[in-house]
Amino acid sequence: MSEDRVLRVGLLGAGVVGAEVARLMVANQVDLAARAGVGLIISKIAVRDLTVDRPGIDPALLTTDAESIVADPEIDLVIEVMGGIEPARTLILTAMAQGKAVVTANKALLAKHGAELFHASDLADVDFYYEAAVAGAIPILRPLAESLVGDHVERVMGIINGTTNYILTKMHETGASFQGALLEAQSLGYAEADPTADIDGFDAAAKAAILAGLAFHTQVTDEDVYREGIRAITADDVSVAKAMGFVIKLLAIAEANELHGSTEETISVRVHPTMIPVTHPLASVREAFNAVYVQCESAGELMFYGRGAGGTPTASAILGDLVAVARNRNEGSLGPTETDYADLDIAPIGVSRTRYLVRMDVADVPGVLAAVASTVAKNDVSILTVRQEGRGADAELVVLTHIATEAALANTVRDLRELAVVQRVVSVIRVEGLI
Ligand code: HSE
């Protein structure tokens, strides 16, 4: 293969994902070269610590000097899998300014500085691909940006954090507490020692921002995403949901508000625990798997399912991007760029509309139902079903509402808390997927 039929890659990071990218590039080099139409060679790998044992990686490629990779005129493309905001942001911007294409899996960086990075890649006329940043191996960004670009996306609803899905699956299937399921997820290596990014929804919110931006052709950052994690979900919440034919999932939802009859063209982007009927396609997504359910005007409903994390699955998405960039380069062309022409406003959470399940402890006395029903009605919220379980002098009342705004629901809960017969509003969980 002649020199100009080679694409030289600089790899920033050799952790779980980076090491797999390096391994697969060597293991599959013949096929990758045939598909890319050019040999794909790793020139250098930036790591933090040279002394770590990295089986299968040539130690001669390693350097702790990441800047030397993005400045190296011999390197054509940089794969960034170090994660975090800095130095990843500066390294990517420098690589682009040096005319290098960039492939990244960095969701946190894209959700914060996506607009700056897209602008920089446009300015430098280089490809910028990031399929691995959302839902690991699952091809979902290119389908949104390319296959579905002729359609009108109405809603994207996804399970895009495997750790929380594992925890919620264990709670649902074994009756485990949140803490018990979290400990199990940690012992199996799904959840990190500090699980905040996953269980408080930060990871899912970053991915939701990226999905929403592509689906609605609008700049969306992680700050635009309403976020609630799963820490407050109890074994009782799960068991009530289960008894009613629901499963609780941490869902990321990006939707056009016109879907709910609003005449204003705005979108809502939110991440929160959500009850969905066990018959919903997303309900069958178990353990650490991810899935993204897309609703389009013409295509109807689509679902993308697979492994959302892990070295090899994430490397699969990165290598797909690498081959795509190599093919573009052979043609002297670039892949599609981001479009944010729609520039839709992101509605505050109060405007979002969904159904809610409100659990409350009440005194089991005459008139309780009437008092609760009139408080709910006074706030313009309509009740779909009520379930009451007596427990001696007290009872648990479970109210499932029709679709209402978040603002109306918040007012309802505030007023319920003030009722003498309501001892405690135990939990409020949003409900999706009911026809
Ligand atoms: N920690 C993430 C998850 C994977 O549990 O899905 C990386 O985004």
Side-chain angles (χ1 to χ4, degrees):
M1 203 164 285
S2 72
E3 279 296 289
D4 61 336
R5 301 304 291 161
V6 161
L7 184 140
R8 290 190 173 76
V9 174
L11 186 59
L12 303 179
V16 176
V17 175
E20 276 304 290
V21 170
R23 184 184 71 78
L24 289 168
M25 278 185 70
V26 174
N28 299 337
Q29 66 178 333
V30 175
D31 282 331
L32 288 171
R35 294 171 196 177
V38 61
L40 304 173
I41 290 175
I42 297 193
S43 292
K44 283 185 190 166
I45 305 175
V47 295
R48 253 198 308 250
D49 181 356
L50 290 172
T51 64
V52 174
D53 187 30
R54 296 184 173 85
I57 295 184
D58 178 359
L61 300 178
L62 303 179
T63 171
T64 54
D65 184 3
E67 282 88 3
S68 72
I69 293 184
V70 294
D72 186 339
E74 296 289 304
I75 288 178
D76 305 298
L77 181 147
V78 166
I79 298 177
E80 185 273 310
V81 279
M82 59 204 304
I85 305 298
E86 287 294 354
R89 172 180 156 272
T90 304
L91 289 168
I92 288 176
L93 291 172
T94 309
M96 288 174 174
Q98 301 281 323
K100 301 181 199 319
V102 173
V103 172
T104 181
N106 194 330
K107 71 226 72 159
L109 179 62
L110 281 156
K112 274 215 186 309
H113 298 286
E116 180 187 31
L117 299 171
F118 301 142
H119 182 65
S121 68
D122 278 352
L123 216 60
D125 259 344
V126 294
D127 267 332
F128 181 44
Y129 277 60
Y130 51 94
E131 182 65 69
V134 179
I138 306 175
I140 179 63
L141 303 187
R142 223 166 295 153
L144 283 174
E146 298 183 37
S147 323
L148 294 169
V149 74
D151 207 328
H152 184 72
V153 176
E154 296 167 333
R155 172 188 275 178
V156 179
M157 193 154 86
I159 295 170
I160 49 179
N161 182 267
T163 304
T164 45
N165 203 49
Y166 183 86
I167 292 170
L168 292 170
T169 303
K170 289 298 143 188
M171 291 176 75
H172 186 86
E173 293 180 1
T174 70
S177 67
F178 167 73
Q179 275 306 332
L182 170 61
L183 284 175
E184 189 187 328
Q186 282 171 321
S187 73
L188 290 171
Y190 290 125
E192 311 214 2
D194 175 1
T196 310
D198 291 319
I199 64 177
D200 290 329
F202 291 99
D203 175 79
K207 295 166 181 167
I210 298 168
L211 288 172
L214 285 173
F216 297 105
H217 306 277
T218 291
Q219 273 179 31
V220 182
T221 73
D222 54 350
E223 311 244 312
D224 296 320
V225 181
Y226 175 81
R227 177 187 51 78
E228 273 176 37
I230 64 163
R231 253 181 227 273
I233 299 296
T234 64
D236 278 351
D237 288 328
V238 172
S239 121
V240 168
K242 200 169 171 177
M244 294 175 71
F246 290 92
V247 55
I248 301 178
K249 298 288 189 188
L250 182 71
L251 292 193
I253 301 170
E255 63 185 350
N257 286 320
E258 57 187 1
L259 199 63
H260 293 299
S262 166
T263 49
E264 272 182 66
E265 261 208 279
T266 62
I267 55 169
S268 291
V269 194
R270 49 199 168 98
V271 168
H272 51 64
T274 314
M275 283 173 42
I276 48 174
V278 288
T279 48
H280 192 281
L282 286 171
S284 58
V285 178
R286 296 175 60 249
E287 303 205 321
F289 278 86
N290 282 197
V292 183
Y293 181 80
V294 183
Q295 202 176 313
C296 298
E297 188 178 79
S298 306
E301 294 155 28
L302 306 115
M303 191 154 105
F304 302 79
Y305 169 88
R307 293 189 191 276
T312 322
T314 309
S316 162
I318 289 171
L319 293 180
D321 282 354
L322 174 59
V323 171
V325 174
R327 287 172 171 173
N328 294 341
R329 184 170 167 268
N330 295 345
E331 304 282 322
S333 67
L334 292 173
T337 50
E338 307 312 310
T339 48
D340 58 7
Y341 75 93
D343 197 19
L344 298 174
D345 284 339
I346 292 133
I349 185 65
V351 170
S352 286
R353 291 163 59 86
T354 187
R355 293 181 175 85
Y356 308 84
L357 188 91
V358 184
R359 290 179 55 214
M360 58 201 118
D361 287 339
V362 296
D364 200 357
V365 293
V368 172
L369 271 183
V372 166
S374 80
T375 301
V376 175
K378 187 182 84 189
N379 285 289
D380 244 358
V381 177
S382 172
I383 292 175
L384 180 64
T385 63
V386 179
R387 201 168 162 264
Q388 183 177 337
E389 258 177 53
R391 293 183 305 218
D394 306 329
E396 174 167 297
L397 202 60
V398 180
V399 173
L400 176 60
T401 75
H402 278 292
I403 289 178
T405 63
E406 290 272 344
L409 199 276
N411 291 339
T412 306
V413 170
R414 179 202 60 208
D415 291 351
L416 286 171
R417 287 200 164 111
E418 277 167 16
L419 285 182
V421 289
V422 173
Q423 292 152 353
R424 190 166 73 102
V425 174
V426 178
S427 63
V428 178
I429 302 178
R430 295 163 183 90
V431 181
E432 292 283 344
L434 282 179
I435 311 291

